[in-house]
Amino acid sequence: MRVFFDPVALRHDTGPHHPENKERLAACVAGLENAGAEVSAPESPARTLASVEKVHAPGYVRRLSGTCAMSPPQARDRTFSLFDSPDNPISRATFLASLRTAGLGLAAVDSVLAGGGPVFVSMRPPGHHALAEEAMGFCFLNGVAIAARDLVESAGATRVLIADFDVHHGNGTQDIFWEDGRVAYLSVHRSPFYPYSGAVDEEGEGKGRGTTRNVPIHGGASEETYVGGFVAALESLSERFRPEFVLVSAGFDAHRSDPLGGMHVTEHGFFEMTRRLRDVADVFAGGRVVSFLEGGYDPEALAASAVAHLRALQGLPERASD
Ligand SMILES: [Zn+2]
């Protein structure tokens, strides 16, 4: 089980009482290590910044890096350290952590293209709400979008699938590929809920028409509803789109213990959604899959869910004793 993680991600400080904190990631990585995952931190490819700027406007990237450079190491003074949104406190290392997340995502893509097995990029801040020129929803740089655009522009891929089972709609990812038919975006999420996008009739436009697929689920719906909705949409979209590479926005905040999500998914549900993702990757994409950590705000549930996700990515049984 391959996990990419760099401790710089723990230096992105969001201040006291913020759900997206370093403790959640530390718990996730510890849980993965205890389950036998091989955790490493390969170098970011030399093209990382250039690849970031193929998704985010260079002016936005400069504004983020410059503001972080002037910020204190800890996000104590909230009026000084907010970036674009009250949800997005920053500290000095926020840009470094965001850039390294993107870099490890690109390193994961390179490794998988070279024949390595699936990789889980266990980093923060998350990315799927980040727009080309705006931070929101705890996200600054959209790591999964950067990897997808790199696959089409550097590696020549023509069909990349991003599947997102975070409880929140990945509005940033959807927006970035809205008119790009080379990257399909599938999201299951609670609705109505932050960020209040992701309706069924949001399907993309132009060359991207039909390559955005949203599965909104009412708050409090059963695990079967959430998982079943994801799997049905995944299978129909994949048969039509035939992805050459599968990227995952793996948020675990639909877990029943999550303080933000309000849904009923368990580790079993995350295992099941991932098992079906792996099937799609095996059938269409030669097993090529890279997954990015997005949300998940109960540290214990996050760790257990990430272990289930990794086991399914590797084709292992749900529990070690099975
Ligand atoms: Zn989320």
Side-chain angles (χ1 to χ4, degrees), residues 86-98:
D87 289 337
N88 284 48
I90 58 169
S91 61
R92 194 168 300 162
T94 299
F95 178 68
L96 279 180
S98 301

Side-chain angles (χ1 to χ4, degrees), residues 32 35 40 49 53 61 120 143 202:
L32 290 165
S40 63
L49 185 59
E53 292 186 343
V61 175
F120 179 57
E202 295 171 27

Side-chain angles (χ1 to χ4, degrees), residues 128-129 166-168 253 295-297:
H128 72 155
H129 296 303
D166 188 282
V167 78
H168 302 96
D253 40 9
Y297 303 103

